């Protein structure tokens, strides 16, 4: 034993983490196992402190600075600032240091405040009182002092302080009800089950006497998965081993409901709880605009280096003549003459870099962050996107992708709960070929016009009566529904029509619809009590079935089963699931008649399920128990072993019948898809449903139209021909009319083009994605993508969750690199939501896993229309103007400085005063563009909603392409030339003011700077289409602020300055009449080319957006004229 203990310790602490992370052992109540049972190894686990903060008091400054200087722009400006400190540069270190200090300080204050709030929240949580058992007594201590192995008592409406294994409760059946709203947003009550051998321990003394160990997996973030086992030691007996699953695990953050108290043992504490692991940040997505911004930044960095190199070379060329290098009034010292030439050249190069460094806009990053953060509130504030039925509004989980909403080219949508309401209505069931249609009932309410039981086919004979009732019992028993607790829960309902119907709760709306539907056919599920399921039959007799096993549903098997024992001792296995997973396992029953009915219902768009059963003898059941127990207690590969066990158990079934449930389309789902297609967005539906059901839904929501030619790439088609032949045949079909008909993004909506729709199933997709024998899979993928590009819509059915993500990734990484969006409402959609560029969760009835893992969340699918076509459009227009405008105004700012060097002997003399250099991007020009990027509406919201095709004008990053970027850059260069040479020629001809004084170089620089500030601000005013009082206040206020600041800066002798070069300069400049004329003239000349370009483009090559703007302006003028004429006529008549 000593050897094994030593081996374990060495393996755990010396051999590397990968050898021991799979499982942990917890000693309940910190009690050692009995002698001879197993080695007692004391394990170290973290305490129960939650730390959501990033910083401490001691590491805040270094850690925050490190994180901020990891940004390229911040690091670049830090280097420039250090260069200014080290060498003699033409500008003061303040000009770089102050903007950098401002940016770093603002960001640090924001992050520090947020972290302080996190510290407060952590302290409040960590100091909460917790009751735990110690020596048979209840002791109270702070939550942070809780340890793994402590036994905790939690009372009703308290939250669980850590992750607990549920040992016992005050309820006699060993259950408790829990809400997990703070974890996954689901407000419904979930039922959890105590360990079978400990559920009878109701007092502190009983619990303290428990002797057990728990073996479980190491902490992992999946809220819905847990694998473990408990060994309960009884006196002089081998331990009883029980499996532990997610139904026995109570998660930190969840709240106890409808249960007086529970006892549980802590297994994960502090930062190892599932809640803490889930709050860790996901990998960040980057938008196309951000990528373009970084590329443009690199271009401007190259321009900066080029400017510095050119000036350095020209300086030494100009100084090659001795009298220029050493004028009589500035002779060099001997040490300066002997200084190394290359060192001098390098120093001069750095000095020029410092002089021109303002071409890189450091404040752009701060402005972009503020624009994204503040702009995201426009979605959450949108009242039109609020759903009154659910009381939910849109959520923004990340603001980094706002503009990406305006660039979407492909939408991948789930069907159930996304396109449809996930509000199931039981339509019919087919038993032994006979069809039954009950009252039309939906969510517990009988729909109008429904009456009685309608037998469409003739009633079955006496011999089939047993099969009929067996089918009804199967649907009453094969589910995981909970009956809502009422005060009279102990009084069973006497009749399904007694006026007091059962209230059913389930994570699956299908199950509720089926049980409610069968209730109208005479069989009512009452409750699960003491592991017995009670149902009320047609004769109003209560039947009790002992629930032996549940073989849970999963998306791979696509079926679930229960094993029950009747009062007469017969053991049944009832199984329900998709037809594709039931029919292959059936050996008896009227398969052909039921299959025909299933296919007919699927074509009508109904969701179908098949029901089968088999009788088990005691020996078979014992074998099943042994098989399941071995799989359930396994710590390694438990899911795989359970799946293998289920596969062995669910076979040789007898087919009973099938059900049909209708899932109605969501309101305006069809209008939304039609609008998205008109916007040039391709919509794909990815679903796990049958092909026929999904196709019917696609027709109903107008994804497929009546003239759409459907192309099938399904398993059935591949069985008839090879995959290679099917793909080439489809490729020939879609490309028959030559490449001119390639639809690309335009959805094939043109009347003169054949409209194609593709249907593919999961099995066919697996074959396409599977590598070929020669090791390549590219050819099939490329062929498949070529077919998809030429189809207006694609339906992928029978898709597993992972396959949904594969489809999204396949399109995302294709050669066009389109922007993709995935939208879904369930946990099975999370993988594709995380894979897409933009993930949107629908806050639906399948929980909030999708909404929690998404970038944005909306209450209904119809809200996607406004989110993309309005909000996305505005976000992209605004931020693209912000980025281009920032680069433009900095070119205007720095290019005159570059030109000035040609007139000052490349002496690195600055053109502008230090104050102007510092405040240009911080104060004089920052607020107008920030407000523009938050409020601009180039066309009205109604216009964007009414005309979805306007979305195409901004597709494929249209406003940040190289052509547009070069235009803005050349516009900045042109304006800079006008500023500089216009002022230069004015000074050349008008050198004397009215009082005879001569203008100096600081007056020249101030004149250039004044023209520049007014020009770039008025340029933004010309680009503004949506004027409010805030726009007027900020734009004209910024210009007024510049004038007032310049008057104060030059009108007072500031004692803290070691120079007074700007004293009276601005006032003197304004006192000159020619200066006023030049300012007005240069501003006009600078703005003229941009105005002419816009007028000509609108007249000769107008975009769709410009045509709409012109039309709206004409309508506005026409309405104003009519109003004026009507007013004139009324006054004349008076």
């Amino acid at each position: 034993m000593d050897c094994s203990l030593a081996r374990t310790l060495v393996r755990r602490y010396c051999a590397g983490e990968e050898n021991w992370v799979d499982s942990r052992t917890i000693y309940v109540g910190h009690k050692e196992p009995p002698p001879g049972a197993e080695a007692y190894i004391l394990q170290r686990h973290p305490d129960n402190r939650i730390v959501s903060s990033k910083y401490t008091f001691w590491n805040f400054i270094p850690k925050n600075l490190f994180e901020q200087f990891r940004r390229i722009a911040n690091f670049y400006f830090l280097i420039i600032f250090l260069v200014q400190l080290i060498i003699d540069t033409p500008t003061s270190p303040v000009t770089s240091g102050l903007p950098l200090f401002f940016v770093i300080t603002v960001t640090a204050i924001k992050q520090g405040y947020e972290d302080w709030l996190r510290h407060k929240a952590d302290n409040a949580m960590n100091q909460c009182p917790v009751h735990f058992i110690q020596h048979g007594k209840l002791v109270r201590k702070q939550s942070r002092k809780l340890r793994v192995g402590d036994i905790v008592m939690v009372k009703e409406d308290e939250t669980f302080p850590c992750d607990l294994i549920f040992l016992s409760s005050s309820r006699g059946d060993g259950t408790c009800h829990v809400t997990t709203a703070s974890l996954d947003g689901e407000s419904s009550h979930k039922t959890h089950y105590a360990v079978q051998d400990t559920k009878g321990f109701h007092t502190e003394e009983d619990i303290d006497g428990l002797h057990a160990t728990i073996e479980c997996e190491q902490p992992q973030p999946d809220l819905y998965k847990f694998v473990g086992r408990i060994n309960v030691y009884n006196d002089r007996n081998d331990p009883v081993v029980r499996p532990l699953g997610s139904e026995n695990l109570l998660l930190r953050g969840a709240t106890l409901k409808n249960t007086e108290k529970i006892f549980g043992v802590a297994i994960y504490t502090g930062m190892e709880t599932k809640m803490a692991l889930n709050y860790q940040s996901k990998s960040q997505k980057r938008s196309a605009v951000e990528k373009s911004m970084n590329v443009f930044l690199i271009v401007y960095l190259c321009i900066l280096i080029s400017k510095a190199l050119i000036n350095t070379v020209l300086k030494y060329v100009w100084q090659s003549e001795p009298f220029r290098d050493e004028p009589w009034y500035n002779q060099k010292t001997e040490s300066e003459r002997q200084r190394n030439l290359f060192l001098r050249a390098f120093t001069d190069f750095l000095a020029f870099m410092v002089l021109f460094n303002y071409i890189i806009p450091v404040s752009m990053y701060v402005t972009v962050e503020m624009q994204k953060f503040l702009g995201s509130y426009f979605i959450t504030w949108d009242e039109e996107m609020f759903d009154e039925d659910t009381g939910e509004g849109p959520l923004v989980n990340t603001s980094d992708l706002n503009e990406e909403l305006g660039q979407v080219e492909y939408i991948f949508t789930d069907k159930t709960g996304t396109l449809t309401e996930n509000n199931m209505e039981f339509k019919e069931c087919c038993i032994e070929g006979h069809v039954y249609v009950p009252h039309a009932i939906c969510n517990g309410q009988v729909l109008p016009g429904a009456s009685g039981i309608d037998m469409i086919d003739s009633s079955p004979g006496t011999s089939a009566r047993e099969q009929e009732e067996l089918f009804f019992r199967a649907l009453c028993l094969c589910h995981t529904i909970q009956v809502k607790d009422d005060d009279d829960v102990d009084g069973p309902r006497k009749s399904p029509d007694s006026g007091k119907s059962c209230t059913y709760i389930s994570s699956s709306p299908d199950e509720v619809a089926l049980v409610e539907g069968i209730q109208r056919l005479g069989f009512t599920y009452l409750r699960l009590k003491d592991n017995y399921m009670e149902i009320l039959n047609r004769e109003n007799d209560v039947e009790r079935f002992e629930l032996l096993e549940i073989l849970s549903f999963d998306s791979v098997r696509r079926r679930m089963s229960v094993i029950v024992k009747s009062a007469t001792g017969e053991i049944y296995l009832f199984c329900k699931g998709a037809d594709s997973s039931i029919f292959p396992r059936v050996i008896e029953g009227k398969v052909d008649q039921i299959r025909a009915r299933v296919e007919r219902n699927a074509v009508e768009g109904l969701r179908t399920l098949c029901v089968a059963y088999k009788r088990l003898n005691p020996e078979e059941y014992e074998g099943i128990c042994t098989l399941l127990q071995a799989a359930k207690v396994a710590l390694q590969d438990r899911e795989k072993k359970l799946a293998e066990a289920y596969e062995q158990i669910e076979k040789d079934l007898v087919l009973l019948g099938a059900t049909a449930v209708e899932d109605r389309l969501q309101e305006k789902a069809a209008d939304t898809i039609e609008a998205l297609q008109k916007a040039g967005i391709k919509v794909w539906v990815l679903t796990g449903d049958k092909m026929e059901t999904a196709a019917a839904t696609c027709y109903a929501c107008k994804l497929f139209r009546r003239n759409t030619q459907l192309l099938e790439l399904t398993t059935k088609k591949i069985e008839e021909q090879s995959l290679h032949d099917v793909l080439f045949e489809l490729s020939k079909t879609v490309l028959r009319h030559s490449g001119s008909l390639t639809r690309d993004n335009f959805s094939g909506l043109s009347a003169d083009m054949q409209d194609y729709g593709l249907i593919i199933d999961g099995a066919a997709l697996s074959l396409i994605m599977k590598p070929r024998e020669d090791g390549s899979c590219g050819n099939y993928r490329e062929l498949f993508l070529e077919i998809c590009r030429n189809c207006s819509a694609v339906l992928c059915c029978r898709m597993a969750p992972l396959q949904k993500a594969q489809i999204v990734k396949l399109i995302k990484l294709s050669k066009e690199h389109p922007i993709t969006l995935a939208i879904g409402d369930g946990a099975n959609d999370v993988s594709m939501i995380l894979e897409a560029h933009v993930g949107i969760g629908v806050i639906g009835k399948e929980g909030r896993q999708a909404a929690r893992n998404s970038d944005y969340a909306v209450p209904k699918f119809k809200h996607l229309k406004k989110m993309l076509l309005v909000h996305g459009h505005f976000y992209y227009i605004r931020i693209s103007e912000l980025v281009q405008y920032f680069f433009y105004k900095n070119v205007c700012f720095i290019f005159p400085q570059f030109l000035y060097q040609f007139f000052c002997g490349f002496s690195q003399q600055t053109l502008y005063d230090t104050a102007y250099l510092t405040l240009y991007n911080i104060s004089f020009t920052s607020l107008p563009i920030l407000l523009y990027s938050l409020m601009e509406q180039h066309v009205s919201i109604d216009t964007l909603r009414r005309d979805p095709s306007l979305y195409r004008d901004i597709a494929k990053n249209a406003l940040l392409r190289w052509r547009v970027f070069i235009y803005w850059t050349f516009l900045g260069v042109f304006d800079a030339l006008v500023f500089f040479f216009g002022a230069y020629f004015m000074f050349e001809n008008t050198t004397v003011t009215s009082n005879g004084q001569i203008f100096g170089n600081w007056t020249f620089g101030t004149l250039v700077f004044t023209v520049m500030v007014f020009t770039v601000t008025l340029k933004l005013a010309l680009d503004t289409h949506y004027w409010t009082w805030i726009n007027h206040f900020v734009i004209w206020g910024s210009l007024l602020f510049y004038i007032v600041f310049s008057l104060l800066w030059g009108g007072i002798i500031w004692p803290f300055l070691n120079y007074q070069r700007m004293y009276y300069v601005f006032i003197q400049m304004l006192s000159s009449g020619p200066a006023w004329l030049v300012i007005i003239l240069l501003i006009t000349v600078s703005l003229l080319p941009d105005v002419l370009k816009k007028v000509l483009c609108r007249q000769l090559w107008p975009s769709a957006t410009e045509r709409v703007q012109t039309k709206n302006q004409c309508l506005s003028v026409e309405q104003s004229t009519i109003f004026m004429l009507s007013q004139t006529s009324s006054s004349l008549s008076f």
Side-chain angles (χ1 to χ4, degrees), residues 1052-1070:
I1052 299 173
I1053 296 177
W1054 298 97
F1056 58 84
L1057 292 177
N1058 57 5
Y1059 64 87
Q1060 301 295 335
R1061 62 193 179 204
M1062 292 300 293
Y1063 180 66
Y1064 217 64
V1065 166
F1066 191 73
I1067 298 168
Q1068 185 188 44
M1069 183 190 76
L1070 294 183

Side-chain angles (χ1 to χ4, degrees), residues 63 426 445 448 821 925 946 1053:
K63 190 174 181 180
F426 184 81
Q445 295 181 343
L821 180 148
T925 60
R946 194 169 52 247
I1053 296 177

Side-chain angles (χ1 to χ4, degrees), residues 226-283:
F226 176 72
V227 175
R229 64 184 175 216
I230 184 169
N231 304 302
V232 181
Y233 296 98
N234 298 317
D235 295 336
R236 299 176 185 175
N237 287 325
D238 289 333
V240 177
V241 182
R242 298 287 183 189
L244 298 174
S246 56
E247 70 277 4
N248 309 115
L249 182 66
L250 304 173
L251 299 177
R252 176 172 192 152
T255 306
L256 184 65
K257 293 289 184 183
N258 294 347
T259 309
E260 185 183 339
K261 65 178 181 180
I262 65 102
F263 292 103
V265 58
I267 58 164
Y268 304 132
T269 53
M271 298 309 291
E272 290 187 341
T273 58
K274 289 182 182 287
M275 181 187 77
L277 293 174
N278 270 277
Y279 286 164
Q280 290 171 4
S281 58
K282 302 191 289 281
S283 59

Side-chain angles (χ1 to χ4, degrees), residues 722-733 780 783 787:
S722 68
L723 175 63
H724 180 274
D725 294 340
V726 173
L727 282 170
F728 272 92
E729 186 182 313
L730 293 177
S731 178
K732 274 191 250 176
T733 303
Y780 283 167
L783 205 53
I787 294 165

